[in-house]
Amino acid sequence: MKMDEETLERLKRWFASYVQTFESGDHDQHMNIALKEEHTRRVCKEILALGRRLGLNDEDLRLAETIALFHDVGRFEQYARYHTFVDRRSADHARLGTEILQEKGVLDELDRPTQDIILRTVSYHNRMDLPRDETERCLFFTKLLRDADKLDIWRVVIDYCHRNGGEKNSALELGLPDTPGISEGVYQDMMAGGMVKIDHLENLNDFKLLLMGWIYDINFGPTYEAIHERQYLESICDVIPRSEKIEEIFAQVRSSLDEKLEEASGSS
Ligand SMILES: [Fe+2]
């Protein structure tokens, strides 16, 4: 079966009841499960908005929504088992997610190609690089998911960093220390115009720069426009202590965004 409205509704109901099974009396678990459930809901909205702006038909919009719905389905089991969202200290949550979908037969009513594309895009969503040797269609949905996911993660982390004095969430801070300055490796990665390597992270400022560096891993014009309109880069910059190096990095990411915006407006 292809992805019709009824099927999508069923999948949403499955997801909601699956998430419920992780509700225990534990405060931290409750907060972290809610965090990922809300993230999922917003990534669904982001992917639909991007998909519409890119002119997808209704069936492809439903497929896009489904991959967003399931992209972090592994997060719940990950938190329940390991009490962290750090993959390196626990398990690859994307892979865990595809295993859960398969074990529970969640996608069984869908035709094979649709199942495949959902499982593959979910498995690719958190990789450092896009997959090689994939079909154009799979690659397209992978890119769409990665853009939608980043738009919401930016929002979550920016809100968190700007919320002074609120409750700390070590799952969100990756356990990094809040020490001054930035690491040399991160500075080099950013100035080379590429993504920051996880191994170079030493403190929270480095993590904020890693998020800023995601600008180099965006795929679609409407995503760049959203980043610009929501002032994501500026908001991240605002929560990193000013220094010459930070100014240098910011000038570079900002001009890279401006270039992409120009390209996007030229092509639409
Ligand atoms: Fe994820």
Side-chain angles (χ1 to χ4, degrees):
M1 194 198 286
K2 290 226 176 228
M3 184 65 71
D4 56 22
E5 194 61 51
E6 237 170 78
T7 310
L8 176 59
E9 287 308 315
R10 244 193 321 272
L11 295 175
K12 284 184 189 170
R13 283 198 298 274
W14 178 84
F15 180 78
S17 60
Y18 174 72
V19 171
Q20 272 305 309
T21 64
F22 292 90
E23 280 301 349
S24 64
D26 183 76
H27 174 72
D28 283 355
Q29 175 149 334
H30 170 76
M31 297 299 284
N32 282 300
I33 296 300
L35 190 81
K36 290 300 173 189
E37 190 180 17
E38 285 155 20
H39 164 66
T40 297
R41 199 170 305 137
R42 287 188 310 258
V43 176
C44 287
K45 280 196 186 144
E46 297 284 5
I47 210 167
L48 279 177
L50 290 177
R52 287 198 184 103
R53 292 193 59 180
L54 293 167
L56 296 194
N57 64 34
D58 287 349
E59 190 172 349
D60 281 353
L61 285 173
R62 287 193 289 269
L63 177 58
E65 197 175 352
T66 305
I67 64 176
L69 180 70
F70 290 140
H71 82 285
D72 266 354
V73 72
R75 286 298 195 188
F76 306 98
E77 184 65 32
Q78 180 184 37
Y79 194 85
R81 267 194 223 170
Y82 307 102
H83 296 281
T84 179
F85 291 135
V86 181
D87 285 10
R88 284 190 308 163
R89 280 192 233 134
S90 55
D92 176 352
H93 73 277
R95 192 182 172 163
L96 192 56
T98 59
E99 285 166 4
I100 290 162
L101 292 174
Q102 284 171 300
E103 268 164 32
K104 300 198 178 286
V106 181
L107 307 174
D108 285 359
E109 62 186 310
L110 297 168
D111 60 46
R112 262 267 164 238
T114 309
Q115 291 186 25
D116 274 355
I117 210 160
I118 295 168
L119 293 171
R120 295 212 303 270
T121 49
V122 169
S123 78
Y124 298 143
H125 89 271
N126 64 339
R127 292 207 185 161
M128 187 78 179
D129 302 300
L130 287 169
R132 290 160 201 269
D133 301 325
E134 255 307 344
T135 62
E136 204 151 309
R137 188 168 162 78
C138 179
L139 201 56
F140 173 82
F141 282 100
T142 299
K143 288 176 175 175
L144 196 63
L145 175 59
R146 288 166 66 102
D147 277 22
D149 195 19
K150 286 188 177 67
L151 282 179
D152 191 63
I153 297 173
W154 267 318
R155 204 199 69 96
V156 169
V157 181
I158 289 166
D159 281 0
Y160 179 76
C161 293
H162 280 264
R163 211 187 56 193
N164 283 327
E167 196 177 348
K168 287 260 169 207
N169 184 327
S170 58
L172 211 62
E173 292 184 355
L174 301 174
L176 291 165
D178 192 4
T179 50
I182 63 172
S183 88
E184 184 59 24
V186 169
Y187 172 72
Q188 296 294 345
D189 288 343
M190 292 294 285
M191 291 315 289
M195 301 250 286
V196 167
K197 295 191 182 56
I198 299 261
D199 291 344
H200 291 159
L201 295 186
E202 285 170 18
N203 65 17
L204 266 186
N205 293 330
D206 292 339
F207 175 62
K208 292 168 187 170
L209 289 172
L210 174 139
L211 292 177
M212 214 187 256
W214 280 359
I215 189 81
Y216 300 118
D217 189 32
I218 290 300
N219 301 291
F220 298 107
T223 318
Y224 289 115
E225 281 158 13
I227 294 165
H228 171 65
E229 283 158 19
R230 302 175 194 181
Q231 299 201 302
Y232 279 167
L233 297 182
E234 290 76 5
S235 306
I236 298 171
C237 198
D238 284 348
V239 291
I240 308 176
R242 278 284 174 289
S243 74
E244 226 168 87
K245 281 182 172 175
I246 294 296
E247 299 294 344
E248 238 181 294
I249 290 170
F250 183 71
Q252 179 161 311
V253 290
R254 186 61 235 189
S255 80
S256 163
L257 175 61
D258 288 338
E259 248 170 60
K260 296 293 187 179
L261 287 168
E262 206 154 301
E263 276 172 34
S265 71
S267 66
S268 66

